Amino acid sequence: MRNRIPGWIVFVLSTLITLAVFVQAYLITAYVTGSGKDALDAHGTVGFITHLVEVVVFLFAIWAWWRAWKWLGFVFLLPLIGTVQLALAPEESGDSTSGWVHGFHGLLALVVLVLAAVIAHRSMRELGLKRGGGGHAGGGTAPPLP
């Protein structure tokens, strides 16, 4: 990691994305089990904000890991898959003819969860926040992917 400031930002935001996926899972389950349209609206709002944060994570990752192209490619998967996931969300009109396709919206949420957790873990490791591992002492290149 070349710069600790964007590393911290990536760590905090990717951790928040990880937590936001759990919040979204709760909200959509609350909606499905009868708590009303407010839960669905909250799910959509949290999802949209989370997607914006995914893009911000990637931008700060560029700053933090410039020239670590393999790792930046991995981080780019976060907003890319987040975009696909968002596109697979069903319309509010209740069109259930594409339910099998819209099911991938929830499945890709799990992929976003894992990607964000891996990014947060690597940021934590490189910032020296993980016990026993310490920070990466290398120069401008990042260690291999986990």
Side-chain angles (χ1 to χ4, degrees):
M1 184 178 304
R2 299 186 126 202
N3 195 330
R4 291 179 63 83
I5 293 170
W8 270 101
I9 294 169
V10 168
F11 169 65
V12 170
L13 293 181
S14 57
T15 301
L16 287 175
I17 291 169
T18 303
L19 296 173
V21 173
F22 286 104
V23 170
Q24 287 182 276
Y26 169 76
L27 290 170
I28 200 63
T29 303
Y31 170 72
V32 168
T33 57
S35 66
K37 190 173 179 326
D38 288 344
L40 181 62
D41 292 342
H43 172 81
T45 301
V46 172
F48 182 75
I49 292 169
T50 301
H51 181 60
L52 294 177
V53 174
E54 292 165 359
V55 173
V56 172
V57 164
F58 176 65
L59 295 175
F60 277 98
I62 292 171
W63 182 11
W65 290 291
W66 182 251
R67 294 194 173 174
W69 306 122
K70 186 177 179 182
W71 176 244
L72 287 175
F74 181 82
V75 176
F76 179 70
L77 289 174
L78 184 64
L80 178 67
I81 291 175
T83 300
V84 172
Q85 187 222 8
L86 197 58
L88 290 171
E91 303 269 332
E92 281 195 45
S93 64
D95 176 25
S96 62
T97 58
S98 305
W100 291 103
V101 174
H102 294 309
F104 285 107
H105 174 75
L107 180 63
L108 288 178
L110 297 174
V111 175
V112 167
L113 172 75
V114 170
L115 287 170
V118 168
I119 294 165
H121 180 263
R122 175 162 176 168
S123 300
M124 179 179 67
R125 188 179 70 213
E126 289 197 20
L127 288 166
L129 302 175
K130 185 176 179 198
R131 284 189 177 175
H136 177 64
T141 60
L145 287 173

